[in-house]
Amino acid sequence: MTSTSQPTAVITGASKGLGWAIAFALAARGWRLVVDARHVDGLAAGLPGATVVAGDVTNPGHRAKLADAVRAHGRLDLLVNNASYLGPSPLPSLADHPMTELRLVYETDVLAPVALIQSLLPMLRSSRGTVVNVSSDAAVEAYPFWGGYGSAKAALDHVTAVLATEEPELAVYAVDPGDMRTDMHQSAFPGEDISDRPRPESVVPAFLHLLDTRPPSGRYRAPELLAVPA
Ligand SMILES: NC(=O)c1ccc[n+]([C@@H]2O[C@H](COP(=O)([O-])OP(=O)(O)OC[C@H]3O[C@@H](n4cnc5c(N)ncnc54)[C@H](OP(=O)(O)O)[C@@H]3O)[C@@H](O)[C@H]2O)c1
């Protein structure tokens, strides 16, 4: 494949968990990747050929470096806003949620994805590309102690829905991956045994299904996508 014929994706938060699992699967399919995380030790070795940009999605300078890396590739087909901040562990009630932490949850889970979408939209429009915003069941269920993170993911869902109306040539998805055995999930349930939760790799086929079949823009739950016969 020539470099310009290869589909290209940006995946935030790709050093572990779901972001890593999606990145690994797309690399295996021949995608070019621009990936980030704040701590990227071993990421370049694990994803040979990927452009690894160390940094924090809440930092405008870091986001500019991601956009520069994409422009250097000359095309963008997919943006996966996966990096996320849960908030303090154990999760606080809204009555006790420190505002500095709540701001950081919103900066990471809402404002950074919107900012990345804004800067990458011209390239996504050129390819009639796909935006995947990783959501959560906490966006739609009112779980006690999940009000900070859950309301941020609800805002991200709404961003997704409005963007879909404004950019009808794009595929714009919010995807609830379901519970997964990851560091974020462990920090939501400190001290609990979470070994019964599925590995993030088990959810990846749901994301690949979206890319392969390009259903209408909208909100999807991974278990439903996984139940669809290939
Ligand atoms: N795990 C679940 O049960 C579950 C359920 C529903 C939804 N989700 C969603 O699934 C997505 C992935 O979560 P996960 O469970 O896979 O989490 P994870 O294993 O903790 O991985 C999070 C990834 O994001 C990176 N990251 C975090 N904050 C970042 C920042 N500010 N800037 C750049 N990178 C950042 C982390 O690396 P660094 O720390 O090095 O930056 C890491 O690579 C999230 O959107 C989450 O809300 C998860």
Side-chain angles (χ1 to χ4, degrees), residues 96-158:
D96 296 324
H97 207 304
M99 291 310 291
T100 49
E101 291 291 314
L102 191 53
R103 280 195 192 91
L104 190 52
V105 170
Y106 273 70
E107 283 280 348
T108 311
D109 295 359
V110 186
L111 300 182
V114 172
L116 268 178
I117 289 165
Q118 286 180 344
S119 67
L120 298 175
L121 255 181
M123 300 197 76
L124 288 164
R125 285 179 182 138
S126 295
S127 65
R128 298 181 71 250
T130 300
V131 176
V132 175
N133 293 321
V134 180
S135 184
S136 166
D137 61 334
V140 293
E141 300 290 343
Y143 300 126
F145 308 110
W146 289 77
Y149 170 85
S151 62
K153 290 293 192 182
L156 184 62
D157 278 6
H158 201 71

Side-chain angles (χ1 to χ4, degrees), residues 144-200:
F145 308 110
W146 289 77
Y149 170 85
S151 62
K153 290 293 192 182
L156 184 62
D157 278 6
H158 201 71
V159 162
T160 307
V162 172
L163 184 70
T165 68
E166 293 174 347
E167 303 288 339
E169 297 297 313
L170 301 187
V172 187
Y173 304 121
V175 180
D176 168 11
D179 287 354
M180 299 174 294
R181 196 187 319 168
T182 67
D183 288 353
M184 175 185 277
H185 195 83
Q186 186 69 76
S187 64
F189 299 95
E192 283 188 34
D193 178 6
I194 63 164
S195 60
D196 60 337
R197 273 60 151 194
R199 292 184 181 281

Side-chain angles (χ1 to χ4, degrees), residues 13 15 18 38-39 56-57 82 84 135 149 153 180 182 185:
S15 64
L18 178 63
R38 293 163 300 178
H39 314 95
D56 188 321
V57 290
N82 167 76
S84 172
S135 184
Y149 170 85
K153 290 293 192 182
M180 299 174 294
T182 67
H185 195 83

